[in-house]
Amino acid sequence: MPADASTVSSSLPTASAREHDFVALSVELTGFSEVELLGTAIAPTYLEWLDERFAAVLSELLKAWDGVTKDYAPEDRERGVREEILADPKLGPFSRAIILLWYTAAWYPPEGNWSSIYGGRKDDSDEGAIPGAFPQSLVWKAAGAHPTAAKPGGFGMWSLPPEGS
Amino acid sequence: MAASADPARPGAEEEYDVVIVGAGLSGSIIAKQLAEEKAKVLVIEAGTDQSRTFDGYQAQLQTFYDTLFRTPGSPYGTNPDALSPDIPGVPGERSAYFEQIGPVDFRSTYERTVGGTILHWLGTCLRMLPEDFELGTRFGRGRDWPIGYDDLVPDYERAELEIGVSADVAEQEYLGIEFSPGYGYPMQPIPPSWLDQRLGKALDGMSVSLGGEERTLRVRNTPAGRNSTPNGDYKPVGAVNRGPDWAPIEAGQDLARDYGQRCQGNSACTPICPVQAKYNSMKTLAKAADTGHVRIVTQAVVSRVLVDADESHVTGVEYLSYDAPDSPRHTVSIARGRTYVLACHAVENAKLMLHSGIAARSGELGRNLCDHPVLLVWGLMPERIGAHRGPLVTSGIEDLRGGSFRGEHAAFRIEVGNDGWLWPKGGPQGTAVEAVIRRNLAGRRLREELHERIGRQFRLGALIEQLPDRDNKVTLDPRYTDQLGLPRPVVSYDLDAYVREGIAAAHGITSQIFQRAGVEDCTEPVNEITANVQWRGQTFAWDGAGHYSGTHLMGDDPTSSVVDGHQRVWGYENLHAAGPGSMPTMGTANPSLTVAALAFRTATDIIKQLKG
């Protein structure tokens, strides 16, 4: 079937605090709104995947995010994320990998020698697509397109100017 | 390993009118045509029949989703009992099959599975030019075909009907291509992409010079084997969903029947159309099965063609039926028919005949292997043009497919890619990685940048004509075998001066196109995904087109060709070798439509033979 068949998040009203924080941070990291990210219904899959491998680092990241929300005014959040997270030697590469996880539905191991220093369950052998997640990858939506072989626009839509032009 | 079958054992053999090896484009068409004449047909397919059912087909789609770096073979995977080629050097590719001895790697693949390579084809349905059939006479280059364009017109028409081609006749009349009076394609053209329209606005009427000839370029709609809006009474064929032995699934359960009757714009033609709006050979195979005269056997690798003592008559084919792709366990059987067709793609046909020690007289078997080396250039249009929406290609520049310059260098056609930088860069994921890791973008700025940049990405691919060269060849070497003990092909390949000069000429034209359309050129001639080639101090990025020809080329002289103009193997009264391997040259046309036309021509020949 057209590949939109990911299960709907089973627990939206009762989503865990951890999932809530993960999505809130992801809004800041990806530039997609909470509604858009929840609409993918893929956050629980990513969270579970990360927790199996990087639970401690993820906790540290979410704690840093909590700090940003407390220490920076809403209009300064972007700067806060950059200072406290993206520029941090441990959290920066990890958060960039999370951005790419959202955008590509695949795990690109944190850059540099991050894995050998900070570990995780495994190292680069975890690189690759997250099973079943591809149709939810955001890079296509950012581009005004649709994921290859999923969520097609319908006959002839390619003749029209792209969305947002 | 299983014991050998005893050919003399009663009951171990099956008798048919026609035995066809390969359930791809050629095999399916020939099976259907013969079965409609009530011939008893056996089709023997090396691969699995996973694509036969809707669920099996969708499982391939799922495999594709879960593959990080996509190639034409991604959905179809590795079958150790019927290996398919990989693209050398591409990350995550399937197991190697060819033994490549160069000097240049052959970079095109094919699929050994029910449906064949037409599963991953793009769908382009260009006819060859009349002059393509007469290269030797007209330009002193390559070879003439034993038949001309006019001979093939009725079969082109049959092929276009069977595939269900969407195109407009008036737009396809150029460089000598003529259509029968009153002829119309089955379906209206696929609508042009926004990129086609914007590029056309910039380019149409552009004048270029090639070999001293002035040519006017235009962006022209590409005839497509994908469902559009039907003309007249034509009824588009949607997705295939078949039960055991290809029986139709009971009414009410055949969910797929009305699915894929029109392209939805899934932007994944190669390697897999999720809805089967793109033609595939299962559609023809299902029609063949509906006659009740065709038996299709899968997971059965034909290992030898058996001939009689004076080697003029085929007496049977031996095949190995394996239990499961991962296991070498198999049984050996022999199928017998009045006549035989090898239709398992260029390299497999040659491999099978070489391994059987037949068709050796001309010395051309396995030789003259060609592809369309594709010059790739990529860049950013001045505005967002909506990459990654709709069929991967909906237009091309065809005005340089022919001309007197072919005495000096290769002709070419230029494909306009709606697929952004998918081919040379592996898709927009690479752009995202670069933006996040190297350009330190995140949040809204990241999203805005990707919106702008990916939306402007496009590529051109110039398909360069290649001429038959005896040293570009498939050979066998007992050192290289698969797990069934059958040979893995040894491939020698090179790009000669004629091709390289053509690549340079095409690059001159694509540069002018970029200049005229204001395209920011982002081409990296040396990169991690494509190959590169040098010529006269310049380096160009190129890749294989997936187009094979020449391994058992046709001619009108048994001493210099392997098959005749009906694809009958010289020297054997009851053996045809059908498919792209029969084509002495391809010109610049993507070969599938011509392969289909030749299959109809061969079917007519066999019907005549059986009735005679």
Side-chain angles (χ1 to χ4, degrees):
Chain A
M1 299 303 295
D4 228 338
S6 302
T7 51
V8 174
S9 174
S10 58
S11 55
L12 267 189
T14 57
S16 67
R18 192 171 176 82
E19 185 182 327
H20 177 269
D21 291 349
F22 174 65
V23 171
L25 167 61
S26 296
V27 167
E28 202 62 47
L29 290 176
T30 63
F32 280 79
S33 72
E34 187 178 4
V35 167
E36 288 171 314
L37 294 186
L38 289 175
T40 65
I42 201 74
T45 302
Y46 291 159
L47 191 58
E48 187 183 337
W49 194 92
L50 290 166
D51 269 338
E52 279 175 12
R53 290 160 181 81
F54 305 103
V57 191
L58 183 60
S59 295
E60 209 175 313
L61 175 62
L62 294 177
K63 195 170 165 214
W65 162 246
D66 187 53
V68 169
T69 61
K70 290 184 173 125
D71 300 343
Y72 292 78
E75 63 271 24
D76 288 335
R77 287 259 167 90
E78 192 177 332
R79 184 169 61 84
V81 166
R82 202 157 277 289
E83 289 174 356
E84 307 297 330
I85 294 175
L86 291 170
D88 182 86
K90 183 174 186 179
L91 301 181
F94 184 61
S95 59
R96 280 186 283 279
I98 290 176
I99 295 174
L100 290 174
L101 178 63
W102 276 107
Y103 269 88
T104 68
W107 183 250
Y108 291 84
E111 74 261 29
N113 54 359
W114 189 92
S115 297
S116 63
I117 299 172
Y118 302 111
R121 191 186 71 178
K122 284 188 264 173
D123 50 16
D124 291 2
S125 61
D126 266 336
E127 180 172 355
I130 308 299
F134 173 76
Q136 306 309 333
S137 46
L138 298 177
V139 65
W140 311 94
K141 190 171 168 68
H146 67 94
T148 303
K151 305 183 182 184
F155 181 76
M157 54 73 68
W158 54 87
S159 274
L160 304 173
E163 175 196 330
S165 283
Chain B
M1 292 294 208
S4 298
D6 175 2
R9 183 163 55 93
E13 300 173 13
E14 309 136 35
E15 289 276 349
Y16 295 88
D17 292 318
V18 188
V19 174
I20 298 172
V21 183
L25 180 62
S26 295
S28 302
I29 288 172
I30 294 169
K32 172 185 154 289
Q33 292 301 101
L34 291 166
E36 285 175 353
E37 296 291 324
K38 300 194 169 37
K40 191 179 170 196
V41 178
L42 175 68
V43 179
I44 307 176
E45 167 56 45
T48 71
D49 68 349
Q50 182 176 11
S51 300
R52 167 181 56 86
T53 63
F54 190 71
D55 289 348
Y57 189 91
Q58 297 307 113
Q60 293 169 338
L61 180 63
Q62 210 58 50
T63 302
F64 170 70
Y65 285 153
D66 293 345
T67 306
L68 186 58
F69 191 90
R70 280 86 177 273
T71 65
S74 294
Y76 313 107
T78 295
N79 176 347
D81 284 330
L83 291 165
S84 299
D86 63 310
I87 307 174
V90 168
E93 253 291 49
R94 56 191 171 195
S95 311
Y97 176 45
F98 290 169
E99 195 65 32
Q100 302 237 19
I101 57 175
V104 168
D105 277 339
F106 195 79
R107 297 183 60 81
S108 284
T109 63
Y110 54 89
E111 305 300 332
R112 293 173 75 196
T113 182
V114 151
T117 308
I118 216 75
L119 284 170
H120 82 210
W121 77 318
L122 177 59
T124 301
C125 281
L126 292 162
R127 293 186 182 188
M128 286 174 58
L129 304 180
E131 70 180 52
D132 290 337
F133 294 84
E134 302 166 358
L135 286 183
T137 302
R138 292 215 203 185
F139 308 107
R141 290 285 187 171
R143 284 170 170 246
D144 287 355
W145 283 50
I147 56 175
Y149 175 83
D150 291 340
D151 297 317
L152 211 49
V153 164
D155 294 310
Y156 269 138
E157 293 176 358
R158 291 182 186 104
E160 284 158 354
L161 183 63
E162 180 61 29
I163 289 170
V165 177
S166 298
D168 175 42
V169 164
E171 200 159 7
Q172 304 307 325
E173 288 174 321
Y174 56 86
L175 294 173
I177 296 178
E178 289 177 3
F179 292 81
S180 303
Y183 180 73
Y185 282 99
M187 285 182 272
Q188 294 173 20
I190 294 285
S193 69
W194 185 248
L195 168 62
D196 298 341
Q197 297 169 59
R198 301 306 286 173
L199 197 64
K201 193 168 181 208
L203 297 189
D204 285 354
M206 172 180 178
S207 180
V208 297
S209 174
L210 203 60
E213 279 179 72
E214 290 295 313
R215 285 293 165 83
T216 303
L217 305 188
R218 67 174 280 199
V219 176
R220 197 182 298 265
N221 190 270
T222 301
R226 62 176 57 79
N227 290 334
S228 170
T229 304
N231 285 323
D233 295 335
Y234 181 80
K235 192 171 180 326
V237 183
V240 171
N241 186 24
R242 287 298 171 124
D245 295 328
W246 288 79
I249 285 182
E250 291 296 312
Q253 294 179 19
D254 192 359
L255 301 175
R257 192 176 44 209
D258 299 325
Y259 201 55
Q261 291 197 349
R262 210 154 68 153
C263 173
Q264 301 178 354
N266 269 290
S267 317
C269 322
T270 302
I272 185 165
C273 175
V275 300
Q276 301 185 47
K278 182 188 71 173
Y279 171 80
N280 64 54
S281 299
M282 280 97 66
K283 299 182 183 191
T284 300
L285 216 49
K287 290 185 210 168
D290 286 348
T291 63
H293 300 298
V294 178
R295 184 171 167 232
I296 301 159
V297 177
T298 52
Q299 298 191 191
V301 186
V302 172
S303 43
R304 275 183 205 280
V305 179
L306 310 172
V307 295
D308 64 4
D310 67 359
E311 298 193 358
S312 63
H313 194 88
V314 176
T315 57
V317 293
E318 175 194 80
Y319 62 96
L320 315 182
S321 299
Y322 54 90
D323 300 346
D326 288 336
S327 162
R329 274 179 51 86
H330 65 271
T331 55
V332 183
S333 308
I334 291 172
R336 300 202 191 269
R338 293 166 63 195
T339 191
Y340 301 80
V341 183
L342 309 183
C344 44
H345 210 274
V347 171
E348 295 304 311
N349 272 0
K351 173 183 127 178
L352 184 51
M353 288 189 276
L354 287 166
H355 189 52
S356 305
I358 63 169
R361 194 198 316 178
S362 67
E364 299 297 329
L365 179 60
R367 295 181 181 270
N368 308 297
L369 174 68
C370 295
D371 192 357
H372 284 133
V374 181
L375 167 76
L376 286 166
V377 294
W378 56 98
L380 297 170
M381 284 286 281
E383 54 176 356
R384 294 180 69 241
I385 41 75
H388 302 288
R389 303 180 314 154
L392 301 186
V393 171
T394 42
S395 76
I397 296 164
E398 317 294 351
D399 307 291
L400 306 169
R401 290 181 60 192
S404 58
F405 62 84
R406 297 175 90 174
E408 307 302 318
H409 64 73
F412 50 91
R413 64 175 294 259
I414 301 172
E415 201 182 70
V416 179
N418 296 323
D419 51 351
W421 295 354
L422 179 72
W423 191 344
K425 300 285 278 181
Q429 293 93 332
T431 304
V433 171
E434 188 186 77
V436 171
I437 304 296
R438 294 178 52 182
R439 301 170 68 200
N440 280 311
L441 293 171
R444 273 171 307 156
R445 285 183 50 228
L446 170 64
R447 183 176 180 175
E448 285 162 13
E449 171 64 14
L450 294 178
H451 179 78
E452 175 70 15
R453 191 170 179 86
I454 297 171
R456 291 169 56 200
Q457 292 175 347
F458 87 115
R459 59 95 186 168
L460 298 176
L463 281 70
I464 314 290
E465 165 188 33
Q466 183 167 28
L467 299 179
D469 176 340
R470 299 188 77 244
D471 291 333
N472 291 344
K473 65 188 177 191
V474 179
T475 54
L476 306 184
D477 181 327
R479 286 177 295 172
Y480 307 118
T481 56
D482 64 18
Q483 69 174 16
L484 293 177
L486 298 175
R488 288 193 292 114
V490 178
V491 175
S492 319
Y493 186 66
D494 202 358
L495 304 177
D496 67 10
Y498 187 81
V499 166
R500 291 181 197 227
E501 199 71 68
I503 289 174
H507 188 262
I509 300 295
T510 59
S511 295
Q512 282 176 264
I513 289 171
F514 276 18
Q515 287 152 8
R516 177 151 168 151
V519 174
E520 180 183 336
D521 190 350
C522 301
T523 308
E524 303 160 80
V526 178
N527 64 80
E528 291 175 356
I529 293 177
T530 76
N532 62 77
V533 58
Q534 282 78 39
W535 188 244
R536 299 190 194 280
Q538 282 185 286
T539 303
F540 307 100
W542 75 278
D543 212 341
H547 301 168
Y548 288 69
S549 75
T551 55
H552 48 86
L553 48 72
M554 64 165 63
D556 49 21
D557 180 351
T559 64
S560 61
S561 57
V562 181
V563 302
D564 70 10
H566 290 96
Q567 305 194 91
R568 194 186 301 206
V569 180
W570 287 116
Y572 300 87
E573 58 200 25
N574 64 339
L575 179 65
H576 288 77
S582 297
M583 296 170 67
T585 58
M586 291 185 278
T588 49
N590 305 43
S592 293
L593 180 73
T594 303
V595 168
L598 289 172
F600 277 100
R601 181 176 170 85
T602 292
T604 304
D605 188 49
I606 296 174
I607 289 165
K608 211 178 288 175
Q609 183 186 358
L610 290 177
K611 286 181 175 168

